[in-house]
Amino acid sequence: FPDASFDIAISRFSVHHWPRPESAFREIRRVVRPGGRLAAVDLLAPEDGPLDTFVHAVELLRDPSHARSMRVSEWLALLGTAGFAAHLERAWELEHDVETWLAQTAPDGWRADAVRALLRDAQPAAREHFRIAPDASTFRVGCGLIVATRA
């Protein structure tokens, strides 16, 4: 598309599949007019390193197309580098029923078993943060709406 072609770009639960979001954000900036916006709803990884690693392992085992759920700090830094002024507009938690969630991507049996084991055997900090049910049948992940304005 030509430069400055759009008033807004929108992404819904896709950025965590992008292998190089920094390149994509630069391209989005190019095609959005000055003052235009990017609105992205996506998963938010915890700022805490071990918790981030835990949820990343769970997501990657479930879906090999998963690249990375970014921390809010990563979103803001990458968008800032790409030429946007960005902020977290809203955050919430999304509850997953584990079996329904696994069925959506139909991972190989060993992958599904590994996800179940990680959730079942999670350390107390992960159990608390992700609100993993005592029987590991449900858990919660962070989501957010990031709004970025092209400078």
Side-chain angles (χ1 to χ4, degrees), residues 67-113:
R68 173 123 174 80
S69 300
M70 293 188 292
R71 302 169 182 188
V72 172
S73 60
E74 292 171 308
W75 275 95
L76 300 181
L78 287 176
L79 286 164
T81 299
F84 287 96
H87 68 279
L88 175 64
E89 181 72 25
R90 182 172 166 240
W92 63 94
E93 290 183 338
L94 178 64
E95 184 173 79
H96 290 306
D97 172 87
V98 172
E99 294 308 315
T100 302
W101 181 67
L102 286 169
Q104 290 173 348
T105 58
D108 292 336
W110 72 269
R111 288 179 172 275
D113 289 345

Side-chain angles (χ1 to χ4, degrees), residues 40-57:
V41 172
D42 216 307
L43 300 172
L44 297 176
E47 294 290 333
D48 177 84
L51 294 175
D52 177 9
T53 299
F54 175 84
V55 75
H56 182 63

Side-chain angles (χ1 to χ4, degrees), residues 110-134:
W110 72 269
R111 288 179 172 275
D113 289 345
V115 167
R116 291 182 193 103
L118 281 173
L119 293 170
R120 182 186 63 241
D121 300 336
Q123 294 296 312
R127 293 192 79 79
E128 181 180 336
H129 181 86
F130 297 107
R131 299 186 189 189
I132 301 170

Side-chain angles (χ1 to χ4, degrees), residues 8-18 21 24-25 28 32 37-43 70 75 79 92 143-148:
I8 191 166
I10 299 172
S11 170
R12 182 182 172 275
F13 292 107
S14 70
V15 175
H16 66 271
H17 292 282
W18 300 356
F25 292 153
I28 291 168
V32 172
R37 293 191 174 164
L38 164 63
V41 172
D42 216 307
L43 300 172
M70 293 188 292
W75 275 95
L79 286 164
W92 63 94
C143 298
L145 168 61
I146 305 285
V147 177

